[in-house]
Amino acid sequence: MEVPGAASTSSSSTDAIEGKIIAQGGKVRELKTAKADKPAIDDAVKTLLALKAEYKAATGKDWKPAAEPKAAPKKAASPPAAATAELTGPGAAIDAAIKGQGETVRKLKTEKADKAAIDEAVKKLLSLKAEFKAATGADWKPAEQKKETKGKENKKPEASAPAADGEKSETQKKRDAKKAEKANKKAAHKSDEAGGQVEAKDEGPDVSSGKYGTQEMNQSKDKPSTVLTPVKELGMKMNEKTVTVRGRVHTSRAKGKQCFFVIRQQQVTIQCLAFVNESISKQMVNFIANVTKESIVDVEAVVKKVDEKIESCTQQDVELHVKQVWVVSASDPRLPLQIEDAARQLTEENEGTFARVNQDVRLDNRVLDLRTPTNQAIFRLEAGVCQLFRDTLAKKGFVEIHTPKIISAASEGGANVFKVSYFKGSAFLAQSPQLYKQMAIAGDFEKVFTVGGVFRAEDSNTHRHLTEFVGLDLEMAFKFHYHEVVDTIGDLFTQMFRGLRDKYSQEIETVSQQFPCEPFKFLDPPLRLEFPEAVEMLKEAGVEMGDEDDLSTPNEKLLGRIVKAKYDTDYFILDKYPLAVRPFYTMPDPVDGKYSNSYDMFMRGEEILSGAQRIHNTEFLIERAKHHGIELNTIASYIDSFRYGCPPHAGGGIGMERVTMLYLGLDNIRKTSMFPRDPKRLTP
C-alpha cells in the first residue's frame, strides 16, 4: 500500500545527498588540481565517501554519476546541436572571466613564472569554474572550434573530385617535398664532412697530387733516407729551412682556403699552416682539414719566423708552412676524451666553463691520458727519481740486486698479503724485498739496493695507497752505529732532490702549469728529530696521544706543517720509533726498550721511507719472531742465513710513486702510477 507523499519526500532527500556528492567530488578534484596538502585532500575524500555511504543507506544502491546521453548519429545536413547555443545572464559573464583567467595561466607558464604565482592563478581559475557550475548546473567547457574547410563552405566534397588511384593529395605532396629538402641538406652536410668532395668536383686539376694522402701500413719494407727533425729543435736558427717532422695532430682549424693545425710531439707543439697557392690545391687543404685528431702525420714544411709569438704552442717564434702531409697512422674520429680537456688547469674561475675529465675516465683511457704534456713530464721526472736513486747509490759503492717476488711466506707477517696458487701448493706475492736484502748482506755484499714491484693486499682506497707499487730498497752493513746508514740515506735524498731540481726544471714547470704547487724545499744536511720530540710538538699543538702510539695520517700531516713552519723544510727524518709499532726483525733501543733503532722519513708531511737496524743474531731473531706470532718454519731459510755470522746492518724501503707525487705536490698517487692498481682497479 502506498503512502501519499512518501515517494516525493524520499526523492527530495536523495536528490539533496546526490547534490552534495557532486559538489564534494568537485571540491576533491579542485584540491588535487591545485596540488593541495595531502591531509586536506584526505579530509575531502573522507567527506565524499561518507556522503556516498549516506546515499547507499537511503537508496540501497551505490551512487554513480549520471550517464551522458549518447549523441544521435550525425546526418549529412543536420543543423548544429542546441548545445552550442550562446550563454546568457550570469553564466556568460563567468564564462568570459574563465577565458580571461585561462589566458593568464597560460601566459604565466609561458613566461616560466614562479610556481607560487602559477598555483594562485590556477586556484582562481578553478574557483571560477565552480562558480560557473553553480550558476548553470553544468561543468564549464571551452566552445568547440569550427573546422574551416578552405573554399568548400562546409559542403561535402564533390563526387567528381576524389584522387585517382596512386595520386597523392596536395598535403601529402607538400610533406614529401619537405622530406626531400631535408634529405638533400643532410647529404650535402655529410659530403662536406667527408672532405668537401662535392666542392672538389668543380676545382679543376689537383696540382698537389702526390704531395698528400695516407701512407701504406709500415711493414718495414723500405729504409728511406728522410731525416725527421725533432720539433723541440725548431726555432729561429732554422728559419727558411725545409724540414720533415712527425707528430700527432693536436688541433686543426680550417677557414676558406687555408687550414691551421698544431703538431704535438710528446711535450712540445708547433703551429702549421697550409693555404691554397700555386703548389697547394684546395683538395689538399680539404684533406688536411679532415685528418682526425691524434692521427700521426709526417709533415714536410718550411720553417717561417712569425711576427707575433704563438702563445698556444711551445715553439712560439716559428711556424711551419706546409709542402707535404702524409698520414702515418690514422686515429678514430671519436675520442673518449679530448687532450686539451685532460691537459687544462681547472680553477674556480673556469670551473663549469670547460669539460672536466675525471680520474676514472683518465685511467680507463690511459693511453690517451698519457699523451698530455703534464703526464709526459710526470713520468719523465719519475724516471729521473729512479735513475738518481741508482746513480747516487752506485757512486757510494752499492750493488744492484734482484729479489724474488713469489715467496713461501709473508715478508712482514700479517694478513696484508696476496696468496697465489703455486703448482700443488700456494705461495705469496712479496710485500717487501726486506728478507732477501738482509740475506745479501749476510752473503758479504755489504751494500745493496734493488728496484722492483712490491705487493700489499691492503683494502685502502686513499690518495696515497696502491696494492702494487715500485719499491726503491737499500740495505747496508755499518761499522759501529746504525746512524751511519741513516746519514747515507739522508744524503741520498738530498742528492736526488738536488738532481730533480737541476735536471728536470722544465718538467717541474710543465706540471705546475696544470697543478700549481710551492717548490719543494730541503736542508743539507737534512733535519733529524727523535720520536719523543715529535710527540711533544704535536701535544703542544693540541693533539692527544700516548708516548708509544704510532703516528696517524692526520698527525703526520700536522707534524709536517709544524716542521715546515719552524724549520722551513719539506723533508725531515724521524728517529727512534716505539718498538711496539715496528716489524719483528727491528733492533730494540739499547737504552730504552720501549723504543727501537728505527726511523721514517717524510716529504710534505707524508711518510716516504720506513727503515731500521735489523736483528742479526739468530737466537734474538727467533725470540722476536715468536713474540710476533710468526711460525718459524715459514721463515726458516731467513733465520738460517744468520747462523753463520752476519754483520750489523740497516736499510729502508722507498715508494717511487709516492716520492714523485709529494715532490711535485700532487694530490693523488694514481697520477704518478702509469697503470695503477688499487682495491677497485685491475685494468688496463
Side-chain angles (χ1 to χ4, degrees):
M1 174 179 151
E2 292 184 18
V3 178
S8 60
T9 304
S10 175
S11 174
S12 174
S13 175
T14 54
D15 287 345
I17 296 170
E18 188 171 15
K20 290 179 181 180
I21 290 172
I22 292 169
Q24 187 65 18
K27 184 177 180 181
V28 170
R29 286 191 293 276
E30 182 180 336
L31 288 169
K32 288 183 177 180
T33 304
K35 297 180 179 179
D37 293 336
K38 191 174 184 299
I41 297 173
D42 289 345
D43 289 342
V45 170
K46 283 179 182 178
T47 304
L48 178 63
L49 294 174
L51 288 167
K52 287 183 178 181
E54 186 179 345
Y55 179 93
K56 186 172 183 178
T59 64
K61 299 178 183 178
D62 289 326
W63 182 86
K64 292 183 180 179
E68 294 275 335
K70 292 185 179 178
K74 290 184 180 179
K75 295 181 180 179
S78 62
T84 60
E86 292 184 4
L87 293 165
T88 58
I94 300 170
D95 177 66
I98 289 172
K99 290 176 181 177
Q101 187 63 20
E103 188 61 35
T104 300
V105 171
R106 283 191 291 275
K107 186 178 180 182
L108 288 170
K109 289 183 177 180
T110 303
E111 295 174 351
K112 296 182 179 179
D114 292 339
K115 187 175 183 301
I118 296 173
D119 289 346
E120 187 63 32
V122 169
K123 284 182 181 178
K124 188 174 180 181
L125 178 63
L126 293 173
S127 176
L128 288 168
K129 287 183 178 180
E131 189 178 339
F132 179 91
K133 186 173 182 178
T136 64
D139 290 327
W140 182 88
K141 292 182 180 179
E144 291 185 1
Q145 297 289 328
K146 291 185 178 181
K147 293 183 180 179
E148 293 183 7
T149 308
K150 292 182 181 178
K152 295 188 179 179
E153 296 179 353
N154 206 27
K155 292 181 180 179
K156 288 176 66 178
E158 293 187 6
S160 60
D165 288 344
E167 185 178 341
K168 296 181 179 178
S169 67
E170 288 298 320
T171 303
Q172 189 61 41
K173 286 178 181 178
K174 288 179 180 178
R175 287 176 183 166
D176 290 348
K178 285 184 178 180
K179 286 182 180 178
E181 185 181 355
K182 286 182 179 179
N184 289 336
K185 286 181 179 179
K186 192 173 182 180
H189 181 65
K190 284 187 175 180
S191 178
D192 289 344
E193 284 186 340
Q197 295 173 2
V198 175
E199 294 181 19
K201 292 180 181 178
D202 301 324
E203 288 168 2
D206 186 357
V207 297
S208 301
S209 180
K211 296 180 180 178
Y212 67 94
T214 302
Q215 291 182 1
E216 292 182 2
M217 182 176 65
N218 189 321
Q219 294 182 285
S220 302
K221 182 170 66 176
D222 301 316
K223 294 182 179 179
S225 58
T226 304
V227 176
L228 296 176
T229 304
V231 172
K232 64 182 179 181
E233 294 181 4
L234 301 178
M236 294 289 289
K237 63 180 180 181
M238 301 190 74
N239 189 35
E240 298 299 333
K241 290 186 178 179
T242 299
V243 297
T244 301
V245 299
R246 174 172 293 178
R248 293 187 181 273
V249 176
H250 185 58
T251 59
S252 66
R253 176 172 53 88
K255 187 175 181 180
K257 296 183 178 182
Q258 62 184 12
C259 177
F260 289 92
F261 61 104
V262 173
I263 292 294
R264 189 184 73 249
Q265 194 178 80
Q266 286 94 45
Q267 299 164 259
V268 293
T269 53
I270 190 165
Q271 179 173 283
C272 304
L273 171 62
F275 55 93
V276 176
N277 55 39
E278 62 276 4
S279 59
I280 303 293
S281 65
K282 183 67 187 303
Q283 293 95 318
M284 180 173 173
V285 172
N286 286 339
F287 173 82
I288 295 170
N290 287 279
V291 175
T292 54
K293 284 184 181 181
E294 295 305 299
S295 294
I296 299 173
V297 294
D298 282 351
V299 178
E300 181 184 317
V302 179
V303 180
K304 292 282 188 180
K305 175 186 173 182
V306 293
D307 296 330
E308 295 183 9
K309 285 184 179 293
I310 303 170
E311 300 293 342
S312 60
C313 295
T314 61
Q315 310 309 103
Q316 299 184 346
D317 298 321
V318 296
E319 66 181 7
L320 297 179
H321 287 201
V322 173
K323 297 176 72 175
Q324 294 193 45
V325 173
W326 295 94
V327 177
V328 177
S329 179
S331 168
D332 284 352
R334 189 176 181 84
L335 299 174
L337 61 84
Q338 298 297 321
I339 303 301
E340 310 98 280
D341 293 336
R344 185 181 294 112
Q345 178 192 351
L346 286 178
T347 62
E348 291 182 3
E349 288 75 18
N350 65 22
E351 181 73 34
T353 305
F354 301 107
R356 186 187 189 98
V357 185
N358 66 41
Q359 184 170 272
D360 283 336
V361 172
R362 289 177 182 273
L363 297 180
D364 289 341
N365 302 279
R366 194 58 154 160
V367 169
L368 280 175
D369 186 45
L370 290 173
R371 296 177 187 176
T372 66
T374 298
N375 278 328
Q376 290 286 315
I378 286 172
F379 291 105
R380 291 173 194 281
L381 182 138
E382 188 169 77
V385 170
C386 208
Q387 190 64 49
L388 288 164
F389 175 78
R390 280 191 166 103
D391 291 347
T392 304
L393 291 181
K395 290 176 182 177
K396 293 178 180 291
F398 281 72
V399 176
E400 183 170 7
I401 63 171
H402 304 282
T403 62
K405 303 298 178 275
I406 303 174
I407 58 178
S408 62
S411 310
E412 299 181 1
N416 299 327
V417 59
F418 288 109
K419 189 175 183 179
V420 296
S421 175
Y422 195 73
F423 300 101
K424 294 183 180 180
S426 59
F428 302 93
L429 297 181
Q431 296 165 288
S432 164
Q434 180 56 50
L435 310 185
Y436 296 96
K437 292 187 300 175
Q438 288 186 256
M439 291 167 73
I441 296 298
D444 285 347
F445 276 87
E446 195 176 65
K447 298 177 181 180
V448 297
F449 72 89
T450 182
V451 177
V454 176
F455 304 89
R456 300 284 173 88
E458 297 176 359
D459 192 9
S460 298
N461 296 284
T462 73
H463 77 285
R464 65 174 189 167
H465 284 97
L466 295 171
T467 54
E468 179 185 357
F469 62 90
V470 176
L472 309 178
D473 284 81
L474 70 155
E475 203 74 20
M476 170 183 162
F478 60 82
K479 293 178 174 62
F480 305 108
H481 200 286
Y482 79 96
H483 280 175
E484 297 168 29
V485 181
V486 176
D487 293 341
T488 298
I489 299 174
D491 184 65
L492 163 67
F493 274 109
T494 300
Q495 297 297 331
M496 289 170 62
F497 298 149
R498 186 176 290 117
L500 293 173
R501 182 194 63 192
D502 297 343
K503 296 180 180 179
Y504 294 89
S505 57
Q506 184 58 55
E507 283 76 10
I508 294 168
E509 174 63 26
T510 298
V511 175
S512 67
Q513 287 175 5
Q514 185 172 4
F515 303 115
C517 182
E518 291 184 8
F520 188 83
K521 291 187 176 182
F522 58 96
L523 301 177
D524 186 10
L527 173 68
R528 186 186 303 173
L529 302 171
E530 291 197 350
F531 195 86
E533 292 180 78
V535 171
E536 188 61 32
M537 292 168 73
L538 289 169
K539 286 181 176 179
E540 288 176 0
V543 175
E544 294 182 4
M545 64 178 294
D547 293 341
E548 297 180 58
D549 291 346
D550 200 0
L551 293 180
S552 64
T553 299
N555 286 347
E556 286 181 351
K557 291 183 176 180
L558 175 58
L559 181 62
R561 293 194 294 272
I562 294 170
V563 169
K564 179 66 180 292
K566 188 173 183 179
Y567 299 101
D568 196 28
T569 179
D570 290 307
Y571 168 68
F572 66 94
I573 301 168
L574 190 56
D575 195 12
K576 294 294 180 185
Y577 265 72
L579 182 62
V581 300
R582 307 304 273 197
F584 76 95
Y585 47 71
T586 304
M587 183 68 75
D589 181 81
V591 178
D592 189 343
K594 293 191 303 182
Y595 295 99
S596 63
N597 294 348
S598 63
Y599 42 87
D600 280 1
M601 300 186 185
F602 294 85
M603 292 174 62
R604 298 190 195 268
E606 296 194 38
E607 175 216 316
I608 43 92
L609 175 141
S610 184
Q613 178 183 351
R614 325 300 185 178
I615 296 172
H616 58 284
N617 178 276
T618 307
E619 287 73 22
F620 193 30
L621 187 61
I622 292 172
E623 179 186 326
R624 293 300 299 168
K626 287 179 178 179
H627 178 77
H628 280 261
I630 298 173
E631 295 181 14
L632 298 182
N633 64 315
T634 62
I635 57 170
S637 60
Y638 171 63
I639 292 174
D640 288 344
S641 62
F642 300 106
R643 293 189 185 278
Y644 313 110
C646 180
H649 57 282
I654 306 164
M656 179 187 71
E657 293 89 347
R658 197 178 287 187
V659 169
T660 307
M661 172 186 76
L662 295 169
Y663 185 82
L664 292 171
L666 301 175
D667 63 351
N668 198 299
I669 199 167
R670 290 155 190 81
K671 285 184 170 73
T672 59
S673 177
M674 188 168 282
F675 301 103
R677 293 290 177 264
D678 61 34
K680 296 181 180 178
R681 178 168 292 278
L682 200 56
T683 58

